[in-house]
Amino acid sequence: MIRSLLRSLSSLLLIVAAVPAFAQAGGAPDQAAQLDKATSELGLVDGALDARLERGQRDDLRSRAQAVRATTLDAAQQLTGDLARIDARLAQLGPAASGEDPAIRDERTALARQRTALDSATKRAKLLSVEAQQLIDEIQEGQAAELSQKWFGRGNSPLTPAFWSAILRAVPRDVHRVERFVAAGVDAIGGAAPGRIWPALLGFAVAILLLGPARLAAGRAAQRLLIEGAPGRRVRRSANALGRVVVGTLAPPLAAAALLTGLRWAGWVAPGWDMMLNQWWVAVGIAAFSSSVLGAVLMRGSPSWRIAPIGDAVASRLRPYSFLLALLAGAAIALDAANVAIGTSAAARAATAALEALAHILLIAGGLFALGRMRAEANTADDAPAQTGLAAITLFAWGIAGVALLALAAGYIGFSLSVGQMAAWTLVLGAAVYIVLVAIDDVATSVFERGSRLGQALTRGLGLRGGTVDQFGVLLSGVLRVLLAVLALALWLLPLGGSGVADMFTRLGDLARGVQVGGVTISPGAILRSVAVLAIGLTLVRAFMRWLEGRYLPATDLDGSGRNSVSLVARYVGIALAVIWALASLGIGIERIALLLSALSVGIGFGLQAITQNFVSGLILLAERPIKIGDLIRVGTDEGDVKRISVRSTEITLADHSTLIVPNSELITKSVLNKTLASPLGRIQIQFSVPLGTDAARVRQLVLDAFAREEAVLADPAPSAFVDAITDGKIAFNCFAHVASPRAAYGARSNILLELLTRFRDGGIEMGTVPQRLELVTSPGDPVPPLPAAPAPGTGQP
């Protein structure tokens, strides 16, 4: 699996390094040379496919074909851009005309010649990319057939005598091969110069130093650094887990590399042993990675640093199985390398594979038995309910072990071994991904947090809200975790063919070149450029709005409502310009935006009619300003102060401190009473009546005196009191006074009425009513109705 990963990474480097520079439009000879080189490379790959290939050779050919495909695709894309620029220039020059400038004619001729060369090179590059893809498909078909044979090829069952008889027949020849291989190694040691032993001893000493003191010192130093400098307990725990994985993974391979280097310098490595020792070094790395990852999850010796929700008993019980799993992973690679180097028989390789498959099955079964015993003990001691998810996973793992055992018994040794290795790889990869996921979330949400140093710098320097910083941390964590999940899926597919990572890199390369959507090439680079342009545009809009609202508008004669209108319109125009700028950087021109808006006009006309109507009404309110912020208005039966005017609605604060949100279309299409539109003054009106015999001049003077004593009443316009009518034996008065605001009218009117009631009562003036008299009108000769009897004294009854 590590070999496949290394090959995939080398494939990516080849693809990246093979991208040529097709930037100059006039570089036809260089382009032809590059395409000739790609053609030659494809011919070599095609010729190599005619011979019998090993797995590593197939991967190498596939990488070369992918490099050629990436080169030709990039060439075709850049040539297409150069061709478009030449076409645009030719369109500017126009068709040839008689009597035109010779310089223009020469330029048109040169451009036409360059266009012909570029068009030919573009078509050739596209054809070569298609041929490279066909070779890649052919190689993949061969790999798929090889994988199918490995997984589903059937041999003799270990339960049959044929399996063991084949091994016994091959034992003498295999023993002879082993003896010859060991003898070659011994001869290399014996044939080395006597004075060259010191490199081997030095390599051994360095290996011991790396495995012991250096590893422990690095772990303690990292933990001390985390305790003193890492922000927050979560970051310290996740960083400690990552540090343990890094140290635990690097120390054993470095020690093995030091030992191998010392042996090579001493001349103790035979030529036939060199490749096997390299594979053993890979085995040490895989074993170290597996052990360190599982150990970082379990944290048996440091429960306070554990990031996984695992109890101490579970960690202590499962840690030995993690060592066995790491040992088995390394031993499997070491045995395979030894079989290849020695050249053992097919029967011996089948026996080794069967032994490895049986070891994987026993390890899975042992781990499941341990988990079952712990669950049983926990349920007995605590009477806790069973966990459905854990039970389902356990049942599935037992199923995997059972399928692997049945396949081994049936003779499908390769399938059984692959299932066991996939289970082990899934466990190790899942543990590694879990550690990295936790670390990503902890770091992203801790660094981009409103209370962190970076969060405070962003809020103070850029004016961002604390919630925006927190949201960015969560969003960054989510994006990185999704990318990690995609990478983990590609890595998980390595045992199934070893091309998962290479396929992912190929897909990423195709995506980086762009995807055609509606005639527009959209690529990650263009998207990032567009996002950056949008961020710059919005930043400029924010800076402009800060200057407009803080410096320019206060220097004008506009009131608060006028400033709000100008600020609101300027903000929306600035945001619209920033969005158009970002779309232009993405390759979407103004004409495409207009086409999109025209396509959306039908939907806007039907589905968004109300929103559009409110938006237009809001623009009318901001432009004509029939209603301003601070006005006292009445809409229907509701009356209040205008608090905010936006392009969709208007907020009105009512007397009970609640907020009434009115769509702007209601304020434009219906009747609205604005009490402060023409003048900010408020008016008090008092109407009452007095009996006909009352001194009207005295009553009028009392009213004017009451107006004069009220502080809220203005002297200009002066208060007034009028005799409105004389009817039914009453004198009707209608009195007026003005206050500074309609909001002060109600309280001032109440104060004046209270004073008038007091003054009229003291002066014996009856206010509002006159004595009523019942008169019966009868005709002569009509009987006179009897008068009602007086009630009995003290009873209230007649």
Side-chain angles (χ1 to χ4, degrees):
M1 291 178 290
I2 294 297
R3 292 195 300 268
S4 301
L5 178 59
L6 294 177
R7 281 194 295 268
S8 301
L9 294 176
S10 63
S11 302
L12 175 63
L13 294 178
L14 286 174
I15 293 173
V16 174
V19 177
F22 290 92
Q24 290 80 12
D30 294 338
Q31 297 162 1
Q34 293 288 345
L35 295 179
D36 289 340
K37 184 177 179 181
T39 304
S40 176
E41 183 71 8
L42 285 182
L44 294 176
V45 173
D46 191 11
L49 290 177
D50 296 333
R52 186 179 182 275
L53 300 174
E54 298 293 337
R55 179 178 176 182
Q57 294 174 333
R58 288 182 183 274
D59 292 338
D60 180 65
L61 292 177
R62 185 174 184 272
S63 301
R64 292 166 61 183
Q66 286 177 339
V68 173
R69 179 177 178 271
T71 300
T72 53
L73 284 177
D74 291 334
Q77 183 178 8
Q78 194 152 8
L79 288 171
T80 302
D82 296 338
L83 195 61
R85 286 189 288 272
I86 291 179
D87 289 338
R89 179 55 181 165
L90 287 174
Q92 291 178 353
L93 295 177
S98 59
E100 66 178 356
D101 190 352
I104 297 177
R105 184 174 60 253
D106 294 341
E107 182 182 1
R108 184 185 298 106
T109 303
L111 289 176
R113 187 165 49 250
Q114 291 179 6
R115 189 189 186 285
T116 302
L118 288 176
D119 184 63
S120 176
T122 302
K123 294 178 179 178
R124 186 182 177 191
K126 292 180 180 179
L127 180 61
L128 288 175
S129 66
V130 173
E131 293 178 0
Q133 184 60 51
Q134 291 175 350
L135 291 178
I136 293 173
D137 294 339
E138 183 178 351
I139 295 173
Q140 288 178 339
E141 290 177 359
Q143 290 177 332
E146 182 181 353
L147 180 63
S148 176
Q149 177 63 29
K150 174 185 175 182
W151 274 68
F152 303 106
R154 184 179 181 183
N156 295 323
S157 172
L159 302 180
T160 60
F163 179 82
W164 299 103
S165 61
I167 294 176
L168 292 176
R169 287 194 303 269
V171 164
R173 178 68 64 183
D174 289 334
V175 170
H176 178 68
R177 291 169 179 167
V178 171
E179 291 176 350
R180 186 174 56 186
F181 186 76
V182 173
V186 173
D187 292 341
I189 297 175
R196 298 286 294 176
I197 191 174
W198 65 267
L201 296 177
L202 179 61
F204 181 77
V206 172
I208 296 298
L209 180 65
L210 289 174
L211 285 177
R215 180 178 181 180
L216 296 177
R220 286 194 294 266
Q223 200 170 66
R224 188 182 309 110
L225 180 63
L226 291 175
I227 293 175
E228 295 175 355
R233 182 170 180 269
R234 293 173 53 200
V235 177
R236 286 197 293 268
R237 288 193 312 169
S238 56
N240 176 68
L242 287 176
R244 291 192 56 166
V245 172
V246 172
V247 174
T249 302
L250 293 181
L254 290 177
L259 181 58
L260 289 178
T261 303
L263 294 177
R264 288 191 174 98
W265 286 356
W268 287 11
V269 178
W273 282 66
D274 193 70
M275 184 174 295
M276 184 189 70
L277 291 178
N278 289 335
Q279 295 301 315
W280 282 11
W281 177 81
V282 173
V284 170
I286 292 178
F289 175 74
S290 302
S291 177
S292 60
V293 165
L294 296 177
V297 173
L298 295 176
M299 286 287 182
R300 181 180 60 177
S302 304
S304 60
W305 292 88
R306 187 179 300 135
I307 62 175
I310 299 176
D312 295 341
V314 176
S316 300
R317 190 78 63 89
L318 292 182
R319 184 54 176 158
Y321 291 95
S322 66
F323 287 123
L324 293 176
L325 177 61
L327 179 62
L328 181 58
I333 296 178
L335 289 176
D336 291 343
N339 284 330
V340 173
I342 296 172
T344 56
S345 61
R349 296 187 184 186
T352 304
L355 182 62
E356 293 173 1
L358 182 61
H360 280 90
I361 294 171
L362 293 178
L363 182 61
I364 294 174
L368 293 176
F369 271 124
L371 285 176
R373 286 196 301 270
M374 285 186 291
R375 289 181 60 198
E377 293 172 359
N379 292 336
T380 302
D382 302 334
D383 195 20
Q387 298 180 1
T388 306
L390 182 59
I393 295 175
T394 303
L395 182 61
F396 181 72
W398 275 115
I400 291 176
V403 169
L405 184 60
L406 291 176
L408 179 63
Y412 293 97
I413 299 176
F415 179 79
S416 177
L417 177 58
S418 299
V419 169
Q421 289 178 339
M422 281 294 296
W425 176 236
T426 301
L427 179 62
V428 174
L429 182 62
V433 171
Y434 175 79
I435 293 174
V436 179
L437 285 177
V438 174
I440 287 175
D441 186 64
D442 291 343
V443 173
T445 55
S446 297
V447 172
F448 291 96
E449 195 263 337
R450 68 181 70 187
S452 64
R453 295 181 179 177
L454 180 59
Q456 293 177 357
L458 291 175
T459 53
R460 296 173 181 174
L462 300 180
L464 299 177
R465 295 180 302 173
T468 303
V469 178
D470 295 340
Q471 293 170 13
F472 179 78
V474 175
L475 182 61
L476 178 63
S477 172
V479 171
L480 293 179
R481 294 172 83 176
V482 169
L483 294 178
L484 178 63
V486 174
L487 178 61
L489 179 61
L491 293 175
W492 183 75
L493 296 176
L494 281 176
L496 298 179
S499 60
V501 178
D503 288 338
M504 183 187 67
F505 288 147
T506 302
R507 301 292 187 274
L508 291 178
D510 294 340
L511 181 62
R513 296 181 190 94
V515 179
Q516 290 288 334
V517 178
V520 179
T521 302
I522 298 178
S523 63
I527 294 175
L528 291 177
R529 183 172 61 252
S530 177
V531 172
V533 168
L534 181 61
I536 294 173
L538 294 179
T539 303
L540 294 177
V541 171
R542 183 188 294 271
F544 173 75
M545 293 304 302
R546 188 180 297 113
W547 171 82
L548 181 67
E549 296 174 351
R551 297 292 302 276
Y552 178 74
L553 290 179
T556 63
D557 295 332
L558 296 175
D559 56 5
S561 179
R563 297 178 188 177
N564 175 75
S565 300
V566 174
S567 175
L568 195 61
V569 172
R571 179 180 290 107
Y572 280 106
V573 171
I575 292 175
L577 292 177
V579 172
I580 293 175
W581 187 21
L583 292 177
S585 67
L586 190 61
I588 303 176
I590 301 297
E591 67 282 355
R592 297 183 181 273
I593 298 175
L595 182 62
L596 177 63
L597 293 178
S598 63
L600 292 177
S601 60
V602 177
I604 293 174
F606 289 96
L608 303 178
Q609 184 176 5
I611 296 177
T612 306
Q613 185 179 6
N614 289 326
F615 179 79
V616 175
S617 300
L619 296 180
I620 294 174
L621 289 177
L622 294 175
E624 296 184 357
R625 300 176 64 198
I627 297 173
K628 304 182 295 297
I629 295 178
D631 284 353
L632 179 63
I633 66 174
R634 178 181 295 172
V635 180
T637 59
D638 297 307
E639 182 177 315
D641 297 317
V642 178
K643 178 181 179 183
R644 180 174 178 269
I645 301 176
S646 65
V647 294
R648 189 193 67 84
S649 62
T650 298
E651 298 179 4
I652 302 173
T653 302
L654 303 182
D656 59 354
H657 305 291
S658 61
T659 300
L660 177 66
I661 300 177
V662 182
N664 289 331
S665 59
E666 297 287 327
L667 302 177
I668 295 296
T669 59
K670 295 185 179 180
S671 299
V672 178
L673 176 62
N674 192 339
K675 294 187 175 183
T676 56
L677 177 62
S679 172
L681 301 181
R683 192 186 72 164
I684 299 173
Q685 182 181 10
I686 298 176
Q687 294 177 313
F688 62 92
S689 62
V690 295
L692 186 60
T694 307
D695 187 354
R698 182 186 175 196
V699 171
R700 180 177 179 275
Q701 188 59 43
L702 288 175
V703 173
L704 293 178
D705 292 343
F707 282 151
R709 282 189 290 269
E710 175 58 36
E711 296 180 357
V713 174
L714 299 177
D716 185 21
S720 58
F722 303 96
V723 174
D724 189 54
I726 300 175
T727 57
D728 298 331
K730 294 178 293 184
I731 303 174
F733 284 86
N734 195 1
C735 311
F736 302 94
H738 293 84
V739 291
S741 170
R743 301 170 184 83
Y746 193 81
R749 184 172 181 272
S750 175
N751 295 335
I752 293 171
L753 286 174
L754 288 175
E755 184 171 354
L756 287 177
L757 289 174
T758 303
R759 297 292 181 180
F760 285 0
R761 186 182 303 110
D762 295 341
I765 300 174
E766 184 177 356
M767 183 178 182
T769 62
V770 296
Q772 301 294 323
R773 184 175 58 181
L774 179 63
E775 295 182 358
L776 298 177
V777 180
T778 59
S779 299
D782 291 341
V784 179
L787 294 175
T795 63
Q797 298 296 327

